[in-house]
Amino acid sequence: MTTAPVRSAPAPSAHTDVSVQVERLRRDRTRTRHRRQAWAVLTPLVLLGLWELATRVGVLDERFFPPPTAILHDSLKFAFDAQMRGELLDALGQSGMRLAVGFLIGAVAGLVVGLATGLHPVTRYALSSVINGIYPLPKLALFPLMIIFFGVGNVSMIALIALGVFFIVCINTSSGVLYTNPVYGDVATAFEIPRLVRLRSITVPAAIPSIVDGVRLGFGQALIILVSTEFVSGDGGIGYLIWNSWQVLDVPVMFVGLAIVGLTGWLVSAAITRLGNHLAPWHAE
């Protein structure tokens, strides 16, 4: 009597092992991203809860630090009161226009000059003293000069915002170009890649993470300058709303204005970071 040969199970292929490892890495990365997002949401909620508790038990003076629930209640007045809603929309419109125009001008100029100083040593040496000399100056201290040049009004405020954004974007862009891995340049030289193609396909992509950081920090600087100039000028806007609310001791409205500024900075920063992850997925967090 003959017995049938026993067939052994096929050994797992190397391709299967690699697929399992890739899937495991993908799941780990997803879990890590979810944990980070959870921390990003929970931390502000915990701080708000502590603020609410400290106010309710009397650790903080409710006249100057109203609880978050009271601020939220007062913010609803802007939605249901036509006059307050109109004032808020007018302030947001003025500030939004100044912020958008100033930020766009400063970011574009900073990107162009940053690329030029990063790529050309002569340009870098010629402008380094000017950039390093003006950048540390408090931008609000230059506001009187802007008023002398452009007069009182939106133009001087936009010019100061653009100036503040320009230096941050310029310095970060130049650093991103300068500290690009030199191996990339050696490969481009060895294959005699044209300068324009090298700039478009090697230099700029390698500097994208630094450029994105500069743009993100530049927007934060733009918000700071915007609110500061509106404090000083008293010509409307969200900064004027905050300062005027403090002067009449309407503290909840003041905190509503601060919350709008903070929320705007957070949302735009997140959008810029997401754009950077899309443009440079190899550097995404």
Side-chain angles (χ1 to χ4, degrees):
M1 181 177 180
T2 60
T3 57
V6 179
R7 295 182 179 179
S8 59
S13 63
H15 176 73
T16 304
D17 292 340
V18 172
S19 300
V20 172
Q21 292 294 332
V22 169
E23 184 62 27
R24 185 178 302 167
L25 290 173
R26 185 181 294 113
R27 287 198 302 267
D28 291 343
R29 183 174 296 180
T30 301
R31 283 195 294 266
T32 301
R33 184 173 66 253
H34 289 166
R35 283 196 298 267
R36 291 174 178 175
Q37 292 172 348
W39 278 112
V41 173
L42 288 175
T43 302
L45 292 178
V46 170
L47 293 177
L48 290 174
L50 292 175
W51 179 2
E52 181 83 22
L53 179 63
T55 305
R56 296 301 182 186
V57 300
V59 175
L60 295 177
D61 191 337
E62 190 172 350
R63 295 173 299 173
F64 302 107
F65 296 96
T69 52
I71 296 173
L72 179 62
H73 178 268
D74 284 314
S75 66
L76 296 177
K77 295 179 182 179
F78 290 100
F80 297 105
D81 188 296
Q83 181 178 355
M84 295 183 67
R85 183 171 63 249
E87 293 176 357
L88 178 62
L89 292 177
D90 181 65
L92 291 177
Q94 294 184 54
S95 295
M97 183 274 296
R98 295 163 181 161
L99 180 65
V101 176
F103 174 73
L104 183 61
I105 294 173
V108 172
L111 180 63
V112 172
V113 177
L115 288 174
T117 54
L119 292 171
H120 302 289
V122 174
T123 305
R124 181 165 62 253
Y125 296 141
L127 297 180
S128 61
S129 298
V130 177
I131 293 175
N132 293 331
I134 299 178
Y135 171 66
L137 295 177
K139 301 305 175 288
L140 194 59
L142 300 176
F143 193 37
L145 293 178
M146 296 299 159
I147 294 177
I148 293 174
F149 283 117
F150 303 107
V152 178
N154 287 329
V155 178
S156 58
M157 300 169 74
I158 290 171
L160 192 64
I161 292 171
L163 186 67
V165 175
F166 166 79
F167 285 107
I168 295 180
V169 176
C170 176
I171 292 173
N172 276 268
T173 301
S174 180
S175 298
V177 173
L178 284 173
Y179 295 108
T180 300
N181 193 329
V183 173
Y184 301 153
D186 295 339
V187 172
T189 302
F191 285 93
E192 298 181 352
I193 298 177
R195 183 180 295 273
L196 186 60
V197 177
R198 182 187 303 187
L199 174 65
R200 184 181 66 250
S201 303
I202 298 176
T203 304
V204 172
I208 281 177
S210 183
I211 294 174
V212 170
D213 285 342
V215 173
R216 183 168 53 82
L217 294 173
F219 186 81
Q221 178 80 339
L223 275 175
I224 294 172
I225 296 174
L226 171 73
V227 175
S228 300
T229 53
E230 289 177 346
F231 274 7
V232 175
S233 67
D235 192 27
I238 194 68
Y240 174 76
L241 176 70
I242 295 171
W243 182 250
N244 187 62
S245 300
W246 166 248
Q247 286 185 318
V248 299
L249 290 181
D250 194 354
V251 179
V253 175
M254 181 191 73
F255 275 103
V256 169
L258 292 173
I260 290 173
V261 174
L263 184 61
T264 301
W266 178 74
L267 289 175
V268 174
S269 177
I272 293 173
T273 301
R274 183 175 292 273
L275 176 62
N277 293 339
H278 175 73
L279 295 176
W282 60 89
H283 194 264
E285 296 182 358

